[in-house]
Amino acid sequence: MAKQHLAAIEYIRGISMLGVIGIHVGSQYLMNPASNAHLTALFEIATRFSVPIFFFISAFGIFYNMDLDKPFSYRRFLEKRSRAVVIPYLVWSLFYLLHDGWLYNVGFPAPLSLASLLFFGNAKYQLYFLVLLIWFYLLMPLWIPLVKRIDGKGLFLLFALQVAFDYFSSFNVPFNTMVYSMENSVLKSFLLYRLNYWVLHYVFIFIIGGYLAVHFKEFQSFMRDHQKIIYLFFAASLAGLLGYYYDLLAFRGYTQMDAINTAHQLCPLGIVYTLGASIFFFTFFTEQHYPQSLNRLFSLLGKHSYFAYLVHPFFIGYMMLALERHGVILTAQKALAFYLVTVILSLAAAAIVRSAGERFPLLNMLTIGVAAAKKK
């Protein structure tokens, strides 16, 4: 029996895509020496759930549709996920390498550099997420028994270990000093870009996504019976991360750039915020205590989120070049308009290519890993 369609997964994808674009627009806005700290907080702090929540819904979707009582076909799983992730990853990586090589007159990388760029997901700044996702898929035989056997105490322990590991990776001064001072360039790259492929940074959010999918009936009851607590926890976790950001600015003398590079999704409060946001958005879109007419917008965002996520740096790059050519600095108002235009252009491009892909199925397969529907 087919399980019910969960619109919440699709809607969360759309919200996450908006958040990721916010983070990358915020990076451009910070080039303004007089950037507004509150707008920076909106672009760079409130959106920090955006990348890890993708791992949450990815795991949820996998385990929700998986029958754990049946044998797991690793080969079939990898074939399916390769179409959805590996092919688009390679296509978009090559696109950006060719495009940026031409635009910035740096040429195409040499074979060894190309291999490094593809392994670490450095062909463009948003592509590392797909590398992490690929590693999660490759390690699927580890996650299945863990999700099947873990309980509440196990999740709490995993959360504590996640906080400890991420804190060490992000903030341990001797370790990071050692990495930056390494003379072995190969080993240095493997450690320097560890955030791009070490799934250990996001194991907790992935596992809890799978756990809630396996125990979905209990999760439904929890969402229905504890909405106020869920919403309060989300608000408190957001307030905590924002408070940390403002504390860094006001009392520790951090710049806005330093503050956002400290109050991020891997700091302890960031992990709590990711958890709060994941449960909140799933509850919000499941219970749907809002005008139902908004579902069309959420569905549109979700449908085109993958392509928009992959293409938005293209539009950010050209718009920034245009602004620089005319000597325009991103003020708060211009940054908000810049964000809106980036979202609109990215969604429009996604819709156009998706439509063209219905006539030329290979286009959708290459760009977003969607195969043509089989004719009945």
Side-chain angles (χ1 to χ4, degrees):
M1 180 183 293
K3 292 186 177 180
Q4 68 179 96
H5 172 70
L6 299 179
I9 294 177
E10 180 183 23
Y11 298 169
I12 291 173
R13 286 196 189 102
I15 296 298
S16 302
M17 174 270 295
L18 295 178
V20 169
I21 294 178
I23 292 172
H24 295 151
V25 170
S27 298
Q28 306 301 323
Y29 175 57
L30 280 172
M31 296 172 64
N32 180 352
S35 55
N36 182 287
H38 307 305
L39 183 56
T40 298
L42 177 62
F43 278 141
E44 297 283 351
I45 303 299
T47 57
R48 279 295 155 178
F49 66 87
S50 300
V51 170
I53 205 174
F54 268 122
F55 298 123
F56 175 87
I57 58 175
S58 294
F60 196 103
I62 291 170
F63 282 95
Y64 181 74
N65 293 295
M66 180 183 292
D67 188 343
L68 294 178
D69 295 324
K70 293 182 178 179
F72 173 65
S73 175
Y74 186 51
R75 178 179 177 179
R76 192 182 312 153
F77 174 82
L78 289 183
E79 287 175 351
K80 181 178 180 181
R81 298 297 161 173
S82 294
R83 289 194 298 269
V85 177
V86 177
I87 292 175
Y89 169 68
L90 293 174
V91 167
W92 283 96
S93 294
L94 293 176
F95 166 76
Y96 280 114
L97 289 172
L98 289 167
H99 171 269
D100 291 357
W102 165 78
L103 181 64
Y104 302 109
N105 198 30
V106 296
F108 195 75
L112 285 178
S113 296
L114 175 62
S116 175
L117 288 168
L118 293 177
F119 181 85
F120 294 117
N122 287 333
K124 203 64 177 178
Y125 52 75
Q126 89 284 24
L127 294 176
Y128 78 95
F129 161 75
L130 296 183
V131 173
L132 279 166
L133 201 55
I134 290 168
W135 278 106
F136 268 116
Y137 293 159
L138 288 173
L139 296 171
M140 200 64 196
L142 296 179
W143 313 136
I144 293 175
L146 181 56
V147 169
K148 288 175 68 174
R149 292 175 174 81
I150 201 165
D151 56 12
K153 291 181 180 179
L155 286 171
F156 183 81
L157 176 60
L158 184 60
F159 174 79
L161 292 172
Q162 186 72 83
V163 170
F165 177 82
D166 287 353
Y167 189 86
F168 174 85
S169 179
S170 299
F171 301 110
N172 185 274
V173 174
F175 172 70
N176 284 282
T177 301
M178 177 199 70
V179 171
Y180 281 98
S181 62
M182 278 185 168
E183 295 183 1
N184 186 317
S185 60
V186 175
L187 182 58
K188 183 176 182 178
S189 294
F190 274 95
L191 291 176
L192 192 62
Y193 298 120
R194 61 190 180 277
L195 295 179
N196 294 28
Y197 71 102
W198 280 12
V199 296
L200 289 175
H201 290 102
Y202 296 104
V203 165
F204 170 75
I205 200 64
F206 186 86
I207 294 301
I208 198 170
Y211 174 85
L212 293 176
V214 171
H215 301 87
F216 183 62
K217 289 185 178 180
E218 294 90 335
F219 184 37
Q220 277 184 309
S221 299
F222 179 80
M223 289 188 291
R224 184 173 56 250
D225 298 339
H226 299 88
Q227 288 183 55
K228 289 184 179 180
I229 294 176
I230 291 170
Y231 292 173
L232 284 173
F233 179 64
F234 168 71
S237 64
L238 173 57
L241 189 59
L242 286 171
Y244 182 40
Y245 163 78
Y246 284 115
D247 173 70
L248 294 172
L249 293 178
F251 301 108
R252 307 194 196 185
Y254 280 47
T255 64
Q256 289 181 43
M257 180 65 76
D258 290 337
I260 66 170
N261 286 331
T262 304
H264 51 61
Q265 68 268 23
L266 297 182
C267 75
L269 287 170
I271 298 171
V272 174
Y273 178 49
T274 294
L275 176 62
S278 299
I279 305 302
F280 165 76
F281 281 114
F282 216 107
T283 303
F284 181 75
F285 289 126
T286 298
E287 298 302 321
Q288 296 197 7
H289 296 308
Y290 56 81
Q292 297 300 300
S293 57
L294 290 177
N295 283 336
R296 293 186 62 185
L297 173 61
F298 293 137
S299 181
L300 177 71
L301 293 174
K303 178 181 179 180
H304 297 304
S305 60
Y306 195 13
F307 190 99
Y309 172 85
L310 293 166
V311 80
H312 75 271
F314 176 83
F315 295 113
I316 287 177
Y318 274 104
M319 287 194 294
M320 285 303 300
L321 285 175
L323 293 178
E324 291 169 5
R325 190 176 298 117
H326 293 88
V328 177
I329 296 177
L330 281 180
T331 61
Q333 294 82 359
K334 288 185 175 68
L336 289 170
F338 189 100
Y339 171 78
L340 183 60
V341 172
T342 302
V343 170
I344 291 173
L345 289 176
S346 299
L347 289 173
I352 292 170
V353 173
R354 187 69 173 259
S355 178
E358 293 178 0
R359 294 185 59 190
F360 308 100
L362 183 61
L363 186 59
N364 280 337
M365 172 61 74
L366 294 176
T367 55
I368 55 176
V370 173
K374 295 181 179 180
K375 295 181 179 180
K376 295 183 179 180

